[in-house]
Amino acid sequence: MEFGKRGYKMIIAKDGKFVLQTKSTTYAFDTLQTGHLEHLYYGGRIDFSEDLKEFEVIKPKREFGPGNTISYDEEHFSFAPEDTCFEISSTGKGDIRSPFVSIVHKDGSRTSDFLYESHEIVKGKPERKTLPGSYDEEGDCETLIVTLKDRSYDVKIDLYYVVYEKKDVIARYCDLKNEGD
């Protein structure tokens, strides 16, 4: 069947699961029970069903923390940040990769823990007043905006995923918002 006539969506969001589709690629991530976003897949196109049952195949199975590790908290014993591929990583919570964002808070703490708050899907791409960015002259794109809030501080991150289906491009950028003093 020819691309564009299948009736699928560029962006699927259901029960904390997110799928972004172009004509030949798929990008998928999930919201963990802790509220963190876990990156699961980016590669050749996977045609997901409406119930997103394909997540059962691409999602890592964890029964216990790997090796010599520190669990996130007592409620989520098998969740180890060092063994999780986050959509965004930050300093001070066990994720040992280079941080996506590094903040020194007013109290001197460098620890950030960004958790899912909300999301929305918009047609097109929100206009940006500063900085260069991607665009589509035909406006044939969709944007997923995922808002994350720091667990301890009044700081939010809006993650933008812009899907240019026909161009076979997914662009990602973010806005960091200090909503505190």
Side-chain angles (χ1 to χ4, degrees), residues 17 33 37 51 138:
K17 296 172 176 60
Q33 289 180 348
L37 298 182
D51 64 1
E138 298 168 16

PDB file of all heavy atoms in Angstrom, residues 17 33 37 51 138:
ATOM      1  N   LYS A  17       2.276   5.649  26.724  1.00  0.00           N
ATOM      2  CA  LYS A  17       3.121   5.122  25.650  1.00  0.00           C
ATOM      3  C   LYS A  17       3.066   6.099  24.483  1.00  0.00           C
ATOM      4  O   LYS A  17       2.016   6.637  24.169  1.00  0.00           O
ATOM      5  CB  LYS A  17       2.642   3.745  25.213  1.00  0.00           C
ATOM      6  CG  LYS A  17       2.750   2.688  26.284  1.00  0.00           C
ATOM      7  CD  LYS A  17       2.063   1.407  25.821  1.00  0.00           C
ATOM      8  CE  LYS A  17       2.211   0.279  26.803  1.00  0.00           C
ATOM      9  NZ  LYS A  17       1.667   0.557  28.118  1.00  0.00           N
ATOM     10  N   GLN A  33       6.517   3.449  35.744  1.00  0.00           N
ATOM     11  CA  GLN A  33       5.688   3.626  36.947  1.00  0.00           C
ATOM     12  C   GLN A  33       6.220   4.754  37.827  1.00  0.00           C
ATOM     13  O   GLN A  33       5.463   5.389  38.546  1.00  0.00           O
ATOM     14  CB  GLN A  33       5.644   2.330  37.754  1.00  0.00           C
ATOM     15  CG  GLN A  33       4.832   1.248  37.101  1.00  0.00           C
ATOM     16  CD  GLN A  33       4.812  -0.025  37.936  1.00  0.00           C
ATOM     17  OE1 GLN A  33       5.564  -0.180  38.887  1.00  0.00           O
ATOM     18  NE2 GLN A  33       3.934  -0.932  37.570  1.00  0.00           N
ATOM     19  N   LEU A  37      10.581   8.925  31.689  1.00  0.00           N
ATOM     20  CA  LEU A  37      10.367   8.508  30.309  1.00  0.00           C
ATOM     21  C   LEU A  37      11.513   7.605  29.890  1.00  0.00           C
ATOM     22  O   LEU A  37      12.683   7.980  30.000  1.00  0.00           O
ATOM     23  CB  LEU A  37      10.303   9.714  29.371  1.00  0.00           C
ATOM     24  CG  LEU A  37       9.181  10.716  29.615  1.00  0.00           C
ATOM     25  CD1 LEU A  37       9.240  11.827  28.575  1.00  0.00           C
ATOM     26  CD2 LEU A  37       7.818  10.045  29.605  1.00  0.00           C
ATOM     27  N   ASP A  51      -3.836  -0.771  20.011  1.00  0.00           N
ATOM     28  CA  ASP A  51      -3.658  -1.063  21.445  1.00  0.00           C
ATOM     29  C   ASP A  51      -2.187  -1.067  21.865  1.00  0.00           C
ATOM     30  O   ASP A  51      -1.874  -1.283  23.029  1.00  0.00           O
ATOM     31  CB  ASP A  51      -4.340  -2.377  21.828  1.00  0.00           C
ATOM     32  CG  ASP A  51      -3.730  -3.590  21.136  1.00  0.00           C
ATOM     33  OD1 ASP A  51      -2.755  -3.436  20.366  1.00  0.00           O
ATOM     34  OD2 ASP A  51      -4.240  -4.701  21.359  1.00  0.00           O
ATOM     35  N   GLU A 138       5.018  23.438   3.910  1.00  0.00           N
ATOM     36  CA  GLU A 138       3.649  22.985   3.675  1.00  0.00           C
ATOM     37  C   GLU A 138       2.883  22.787   4.980  1.00  0.00           C
ATOM     38  O   GLU A 138       1.674  22.556   4.960  1.00  0.00           O
ATOM     39  CB  GLU A 138       3.663  21.680   2.877  1.00  0.00           C
ATOM     40  CG  GLU A 138       4.304  21.840   1.506  1.00  0.00           C
ATOM     41  CD  GLU A 138       4.566  20.494   0.840  1.00  0.00           C
ATOM     42  OE1 GLU A 138       3.986  19.481   1.279  1.00  0.00           O
ATOM     43  OE2 GLU A 138       5.346  20.472  -0.115  1.00  0.00           O
TER      44      GLU A 138
END
